[in-house]
Amino acid sequence: MEGQNISDVIERYLKTILADSEHIEIRRSEIANLFDVVPSQINYVIKTRFTIQNGYLVESKRGGGGYIRIEKVNLLDDIDVLNSLIKVIGTSISERDAVSIIQTLYDENVVSRREADLMVVAIDKSTYSISDRQLEDALRANILISLLNRLRYES
């Protein structure tokens, strides 16, 4: 485990549990106690590692009987998930988030290695050769949404 931070360890733990079922329900405080961290650390892991871009739906219920439900989803089998993903992209997306989406598509066998590589080239900042970051992120969003829509109609 040398070289791994606590977020990596918590992520791996949750993914291991998730591998045995279609979804998990956790209590933030219980996981925090298990790893001897503050509950906000669990929030951080969930918000950064279990996103729709990475192929996860997260639902939380607050209060005494509250829980966090994490569900692994197949991005293109469920049209609502794909629509949610497109909504998350919106009119602007960073290169890092776009690559994360493409990685998930590859991990889920939605696209081949070659297709993923081509998608990454299409959204890479060096492809645009412009110095306006807002324009760059807007172009990237348009391209990625177009690619996702094309995949939707082929699947």
Side-chain angles (χ1 to χ4, degrees):
M1 261 201 297
E2 189 175 321
Q4 289 192 334
N5 65 35
I6 190 66
S7 294
D8 294 334
V9 174
I10 295 167
E11 174 189 15
R12 188 172 60 248
Y13 172 77
L14 293 173
K15 285 182 176 180
T16 300
I17 296 171
L18 197 54
D20 296 333
S21 63
E22 57 188 56
H23 71 272
I24 58 172
E25 289 182 5
I26 61 168
R27 285 192 169 35
R28 186 175 68 135
S29 60
E30 291 175 4
I31 301 298
N33 288 337
L34 181 66
F35 289 98
D36 195 28
V37 297
V38 294
S40 63
Q41 181 73 40
I42 306 305
N43 284 350
Y44 170 79
V45 171
I46 291 170
K47 286 182 182 208
T48 60
R49 314 286 176 97
F50 294 91
T51 63
I52 189 71
Q53 296 96 318
N54 292 328
Y56 296 94
L57 288 177
V58 176
E59 173 189 344
S60 62
K61 181 181 174 220
R62 300 205 182 266
Y67 62 85
I68 298 172
R69 171 184 257 174
I70 303 171
E71 180 179 358
K72 180 80 171 141
V73 293
N74 186 327
L75 294 179
L76 295 179
D77 280 352
D78 185 344
I79 201 75
D80 292 333
V81 174
L82 186 58
N83 289 337
S84 295
L85 187 58
I86 289 171
K87 190 175 181 179
V88 165
I89 294 169
T91 59
S92 179
I93 189 169
S94 70
E95 183 176 6
R96 188 186 99 241
D97 288 344
V99 169
S100 179
I101 290 170
I102 295 166
Q103 181 65 49
T104 300
L105 293 170
Y106 174 72
D107 292 345
E108 294 294 320
N109 297 315
V110 174
V111 297
S112 69
R113 173 68 180 228
R114 180 180 166 90
E115 291 165 334
D117 287 344
L118 291 171
M119 291 172 81
V120 168
V121 168
I123 58 97
D124 187 86
K125 72 178 182 174
S126 65
T127 300
Y128 305 124
S129 296
I130 55 176
S131 58
D132 183 338
R133 174 171 260 164
Q134 288 181 326
L135 178 59
E136 177 187 313
D137 290 351
L139 287 170
R140 183 177 296 109
N142 287 338
I143 291 169
L144 190 56
I145 288 171
S146 294
L147 290 167
L148 291 172
N149 280 324
R150 179 66 180 165
L151 287 172
R152 176 181 15 202
Y153 297 121
E154 286 190 1
S155 57

